[in-house]
Amino acid sequence: MRCPGLRGGPRLMPGEQMARGAVALWLVPRAGAHRDPRAEAAELSPAARERINALRTPDARDGQLLSRAWLARMLRAYFGPASAGWTIGVDCKGCAVLRDAPPEIAIAFAHGRDRIAIAIGHDCGPGLGIDLEDRLDRDDPLLAPVILAPAELERYHRLATGKRRRQYLLVRWVAKEAYVKARRVGLAMPFDTIEVIEAAPGVYGVGHPAGLDGQHWQVRLLEPSDDLAIAVAWAPTRDTPLALTVHSVDELPFERDAFTLIRLR
């Protein structure tokens, strides 16, 4: 899976540090040979397992187990044994947080119907956000005024009905979700006040009247299929572009033992 401007995945061995200015995006299917719920549960602390078991639906429990366990594995693979002392959590805005870790390391994850997306960043700016959407399977004129800024809504209505409108809405939905997660503002920032502007294929800038924080926020978009869109948002702090790499666990060898480092080669 590749998108314009993205490089191939890093060839890291366990304990080899992720380069600064890098974001690694992992797409993990909810089903497949890589799944081992008992081994995944062994990755979590007793308190984390208790919180997951308290969730109401099996789907929510499975999604949280998958994202927390595989995120712990990826952190261990990139940053070594030191990551064992870091705690994966969610703040009051619903954004992923990594406690007791160096401040330059950021995490984000999002759950979809058939897969989850995990992003790990190293020195990638003041925030990292991700969103994945695979449920918008039709054009929704009632949703459009809620999601789109006035200029976007005008362009939306000029498009032919059907697939083009649906894709236009889907892209802006995930881009704005990723942006508000990166900014850690949640639903306090209405989507119709945010405009995402395509600067290059798969690369968007963000305009927001309340976003004048001195940061130039960016969104990278992946569209692996017509009904799936994934967005990653950050604000680069350096002149050179961040390196975003994309990975899928079902394409890589892995260790089933939960206490063995995941091997990325």
Side-chain angles (χ1 to χ4, degrees):
M1 183 183 305
R2 293 290 182 268
C3 289
L6 303 188
R7 302 188 313 177
R11 298 300 181 253
L12 298 178
M13 290 304 291
E16 184 178 344
Q17 287 274 327
M18 178 188 293
R20 290 183 177 273
V23 175
L25 172 63
W26 286 84
L27 303 180
V28 186
R30 282 180 175 263
H34 62 286
R35 293 299 309 271
D36 185 341
R38 291 182 62 183
E40 290 165 0
E43 295 279 2
L44 309 180
S45 68
R49 288 196 295 269
E50 185 176 347
R51 286 193 294 271
I52 289 175
N53 289 335
L55 296 174
R56 291 185 177 182
T57 67
D59 182 71
R61 291 193 294 270
D62 181 72
Q64 288 295 321
L65 173 63
L66 180 61
S67 58
R68 304 292 181 101
W70 280 85
L71 183 53
R73 292 176 175 183
M74 299 309 176
L75 287 169
R76 190 165 67 243
Y78 282 121
F79 299 105
S83 66
W86 305 344
T87 302
I88 301 164
V90 177
D91 65 15
C92 61
K93 299 274 194 327
C95 300
V97 293
L98 189 59
R99 302 185 179 96
D100 303 317
E104 66 270 17
I105 300 173
I107 61 170
F109 53 80
H111 300 101
R113 179 171 47 197
D114 300 320
R115 61 188 65 76
I116 65 168
I118 297 171
I120 302 173
H122 191 198
D123 192 19
C124 61
L128 179 65
I130 189 172
D131 191 55
L132 178 155
E133 183 56 55
D134 57 4
R135 296 178 184 272
L136 187 61
D137 55 4
R138 61 184 177 86
D139 179 28
D140 192 339
L142 296 179
L143 185 61
V146 179
I147 298 296
L148 302 177
E152 294 172 330
L153 188 60
E154 183 179 345
R155 289 191 289 270
Y156 168 84
H157 285 305
R158 290 202 301 264
L159 296 173
T161 58
K163 180 178 178 180
R164 291 190 65 194
R165 281 190 176 186
R166 179 183 62 80
Q167 203 68 12
Y168 185 90
L169 187 60
L170 178 64
V171 164
R172 277 141 190 87
W173 186 349
V174 297
K176 294 178 185 188
E177 283 273 11
Y179 171 63
V180 299
K181 289 178 182 178
R183 295 277 318 270
R184 299 195 178 278
V185 294
L187 296 178
M189 186 178 290
F191 280 7
D192 61 356
T193 65
I194 307 167
E195 184 176 3
V196 292
I197 304 167
E198 188 169 17
V203 180
Y204 292 80
V206 180
H208 185 263
L212 303 177
D213 53 6
Q215 307 292 341
H216 298 286
W217 292 90
Q218 262 187 29
V219 177
R220 293 287 184 92
L221 178 74
L222 296 86
E223 297 179 88
S225 62
D226 288 343
D227 60 350
L228 173 64
I230 304 155
V232 185
W234 65 77
T237 56
R238 55 186 73 237
D239 294 334
T240 56
L242 287 172
L244 175 62
T245 56
V246 186
H247 314 265
S248 180
V249 297
D250 57 357
E251 299 172 359
L252 294 172
F254 61 90
E255 300 288 347
R256 294 187 65 84
D257 183 351
F259 302 99
T260 301
L261 293 175
I262 300 300
R263 299 189 182 280
L264 316 177
R265 67 173 189 231

